[in-house]
Amino acid sequence: MTPLEILDLAGRIERKIADIYNLFRKEFSADEEASAFWEALVNEEETHAGFIDAEIRMLRLKPEIFGCARVDGGILKDTLKEMTAMEENLLEGGFDMGAALSMAIKIETELVEKRYNRLVEICDPQLKRIFNHLTKSDNHVEKVVKMAKRFGVKTAGST
């Protein structure tokens, strides 16, 4: 895949994460603290998508910055499929705060951070910079684990 295709997929993933977190925000809207927590994560994911959009605009203006890198985008394609399936499952049935927080930890660690980091290992320097920014900028894992502790929810990440 070209850098443009990679960034397009990454933007779609970030928006899908925002959609999932928005489902959580709506589900827990009666709890002001929980709703604000999920809303903050939605906003941060939308900011990530906006960052990627800006990088796409730069790529279109100055494609030479990214060289001729071609990357196997299978990692991102699989991630987007899993995120879409996750959202569909959430829409079909109920979930509690524990399930939501566990899912958020899975999204942030297994589905995004680890996969983005694997992609970074094989990317050109400009794509590496972008994916490093996405995984390092907002400390989502720490925020989710802190919220899990606040609600007394045991998660794999809150030990």
Side-chain angles (χ1 to χ4, degrees), residues 120-156:
V120 161
E121 293 171 8
I122 58 174
C123 280
D124 76 349
Q126 287 297 332
L127 287 174
K128 184 175 186 170
R129 175 187 58 79
I130 292 166
F131 285 103
N132 277 335
H133 174 79
L134 292 174
T135 59
K136 307 287 188 255
S137 62
D138 292 319
N139 302 318
H140 286 180
V141 175
E142 292 86 359
K143 289 176 183 178
V144 174
V145 169
K146 183 178 178 180
M147 186 57 109
K149 287 180 182 176
R150 162 70 181 86
F151 277 86
V153 174
K154 296 215 182 281
T155 64

Side-chain angles (χ1 to χ4, degrees), residues 65 102 150:
I65 290 175
S102 292
R150 162 70 181 86

Side-chain angles (χ1 to χ4, degrees), residues 50-144:
F51 171 75
I52 292 170
D53 291 344
E55 295 294 333
I56 288 172
R57 286 191 298 277
M58 184 190 325
L59 175 59
R60 287 188 174 134
L61 289 172
K62 295 189 173 228
E64 67 277 5
I65 290 175
F66 290 83
C68 303
R70 291 195 65 78
V71 177
D72 177 4
I75 295 169
L76 293 181
K77 286 180 182 178
D78 290 345
T79 302
L80 183 58
K81 284 180 190 173
E82 288 180 55
M83 300 297 298
T84 300
M86 198 178 281
E87 181 184 34
E88 289 169 1
N89 287 336
L90 288 169
L91 290 169
E92 288 177 9
F95 49 87
D96 62 12
M97 182 62 85
L101 290 164
S102 292
M103 189 174 292
I105 288 173
K106 180 178 181 174
I107 288 169
E108 297 296 338
T109 58
E110 295 173 35
L111 296 182
V112 176
E113 188 169 311
K114 283 182 185 176
R115 291 183 185 181
Y116 280 1
N117 287 341
R118 275 194 5 229
L119 190 62
V120 161
E121 293 171 8
I122 58 174
C123 280
D124 76 349
Q126 287 297 332
L127 287 174
K128 184 175 186 170
R129 175 187 58 79
I130 292 166
F131 285 103
N132 277 335
H133 174 79
L134 292 174
T135 59
K136 307 287 188 255
S137 62
D138 292 319
N139 302 318
H140 286 180
V141 175
E142 292 86 359
K143 289 176 183 178
V144 174

Side-chain angles (χ1 to χ4, degrees), residues 9-28:
L9 268 174
R12 290 167 58 198
I13 289 167
E14 295 299 324
R15 285 181 176 84
K16 186 60 66 181
I17 296 168
D19 291 345
I20 290 170
Y21 290 167
N22 198 41
L23 288 174
F24 297 159
R25 182 193 61 78
K26 289 176 184 175
E27 181 69 22
F28 304 112

